Amino acid sequence: MSNISDIELNQLRLLQLIFETKNLTRAGERAGLTQSAVSHTLKKLRHSFNDSLVIRQGNKLILTPRAEYLQSQLNRWLNDFERHILTQEQFEPAYSSRTFFIATSDLVEQSLAPVLIPHLSKVAPNIQVVFAKLDKRGFASQIESGEVDFSISVIESSHPALMVTTLYKDDYVSVVRHDHPCLDSALDLASYCRYPHILAGTGKDIRGTVDDALDKLGHTRKVQYKVANFSSAPYIVETSDAIFTAPRKFVAAIQSKFNIAEFEPPLSVPPFSMKMYWDIRNKDDQASRWFRQEIITVARNTAP
């Protein structure tokens, strides 16, 4: 009875070469093994299969009946193993119709989509991209469950199941309606604080990064309007005296569509990093690797 429990894959590959060449020296050369290693492996295989497998007859080796049967089976099995197990299906973006799901905020969607989509339409015209609402508290679960492929946000996380890269760093700029009186002269900090302000964000808190920066300077501002989405703020800016201080990339993406003007806020607001997360299980997936590289390239090459 055969004892195949201890047979290794490289031993079967060598056996395949022995069957093919019917010569231990040539089989060893093709396998990159010494003659003694070939002889040692053949001895183990004979023991495992309980058969001589090959017998020397004059200057050549002949296959035993068991070996002749094994040869065709072994060839088919090893070829199938290499084709289906070892060889990864090639991802071809130009022909793929795969759908990628990205969880993010409207801030990122407004900034990234207008440049990402035209780029993808050229290099991968059949790719589908779906932007989903970011679950700030459960963003890791969104990725782990397969609900989304990627998550883009300012969230800091060291979740062991996720991988992360910084897409870009950004700072803040302020915008007002194009005929706002503050544009007539240099705006000092006190005047900046006297005007009404707009804050974008979720939840009931009416404080943001700007307020934290003002606290350090001993100033406060009046947040008169709070919107859930960044994309709503420019409409209020156009029709009011309110100041909206927002990420520079976002303002660059929407400014031409509104009658608004930008200016540098009269205080230093700490910059931030926008990060992209994905499941560690997909780190070597060809499609995932390709798509995240496209996002990285587009995000980093887009001027603020």
Side-chain angles (χ1 to χ4, degrees):
M1 182 178 293
S2 300
N3 179 18
I4 63 172
S5 60
D6 295 329
I7 297 178
E8 299 175 4
L9 180 61
N10 61 337
Q11 294 174 343
L12 292 178
R13 290 193 181 281
L14 176 61
L15 185 59
Q16 183 185 37
L17 290 174
I18 293 173
F19 288 165
E20 180 182 332
T21 62
K22 297 180 177 62
N23 186 292
L24 298 185
T25 301
R26 288 203 298 271
E29 290 173 349
R30 289 178 56 177
L33 297 174
T34 63
Q35 188 66 42
S36 62
V38 172
S39 298
H40 178 70
T41 301
L42 180 57
K43 181 179 179 180
K44 290 181 62 177
L45 288 168
R46 283 169 166 165
H47 174 74
S48 297
F49 283 103
N50 194 26
D51 189 88
S52 297
L53 298 175
V54 290
I55 299 173
R56 184 167 299 281
Q57 190 175 77
N59 294 326
K60 63 179 182 178
L61 296 177
I62 60 171
L63 276 59
T64 66
R66 178 75 188 281
E68 289 179 345
Y69 170 78
L70 284 175
Q71 184 176 23
S72 61
Q73 302 297 321
L74 186 60
N75 288 341
R76 181 166 60 252
W77 186 86
L78 287 175
N79 289 338
D80 286 346
F81 182 83
E82 184 172 343
R83 183 168 64 251
H84 298 300
I85 305 299
L86 298 183
T87 303
Q88 186 177 17
E89 182 179 355
Q90 293 297 308
F91 174 73
E92 299 185 43
Y95 304 103
S96 176
S97 58
R98 180 161 171 173
T99 300
F100 293 94
F101 294 85
I102 306 171
T104 192
S105 64
D106 79 305
L107 164 66
V108 176
E109 192 173 326
Q110 291 273 344
S111 305
L112 184 62
V115 286
L116 178 63
I117 301 305
H119 169 72
L120 291 177
S121 68
K122 296 176 182 178
V123 299
N126 298 315
I127 289 291
Q128 291 181 304
V129 180
V130 177
F131 287 94
K133 184 178 180 180
L134 173 69
D135 182 351
K136 291 182 179 180
R137 292 184 178 180
F139 88 102
S141 297
Q142 282 185 294
I143 298 174
E144 284 188 286
S145 67
E147 179 184 342
V148 299
D149 300 297
F150 305 95
S151 182
I152 302 175
S153 71
V154 296
I155 296 174
E156 296 283 348
S157 175
S158 56
H159 195 291
L162 303 182
M163 300 192 74
V164 61
T165 188
T166 297
L167 287 180
Y168 59 84
K169 297 182 182 296
D170 203 0
D171 61 355
Y172 293 85
V173 66
S174 296
V175 293
V176 292
R177 58 183 168 86
H178 70 94
D179 57 350
H180 196 287
C182 79
L183 298 174
D184 296 336
S185 58
L187 187 69
D188 60 26
L189 187 57
S191 299
Y192 173 86
C193 291
R194 279 197 297 268
Y195 284 106
H197 287 257
I198 303 171
L199 176 66
T202 56
K204 295 182 178 180
D205 192 4
I206 55 171
R207 289 180 55 83
T209 304
V210 173
D211 301 285
D212 293 337
L214 285 171
D215 278 352
K216 295 179 180 179
L217 301 174
H219 286 262
T220 59
R221 64 173 182 167
K222 179 182 180 182
V223 176
Q224 189 164 356
Y225 313 106
K226 182 176 180 180
V227 293
N229 300 305
F230 276 82
S231 54
S232 301
Y235 292 98
I236 301 175
V237 171
E238 278 189 318
T239 57
S240 71
D241 286 338
I243 298 174
F244 183 43
T245 302
R248 192 178 299 271
K249 259 187 185 294
F250 169 77
V251 172
I254 58 92
Q255 186 173 5
S256 64
K257 301 175 179 63
F258 297 90
N259 292 318
I260 58 177
E262 70 171 76
F263 65 92
E264 296 298 323
L267 75 160
S268 177
V269 183
F272 63 92
S273 297
M274 190 63 68
K275 300 179 182 297
M276 177 170 64
Y277 293 88
W278 64 94
D279 197 316
I280 193 172
R281 294 174 298 179
N282 294 329
K283 71 184 184 70
D284 296 321
D285 178 75
Q286 288 188 22
S288 176
R289 188 167 59 226
W290 171 83
F291 191 75
R292 63 179 179 258
Q293 187 57 53
E294 297 304 302
I295 293 178
I296 290 170
T297 300
V298 169
R300 292 179 183 173
N301 291 343
T302 304

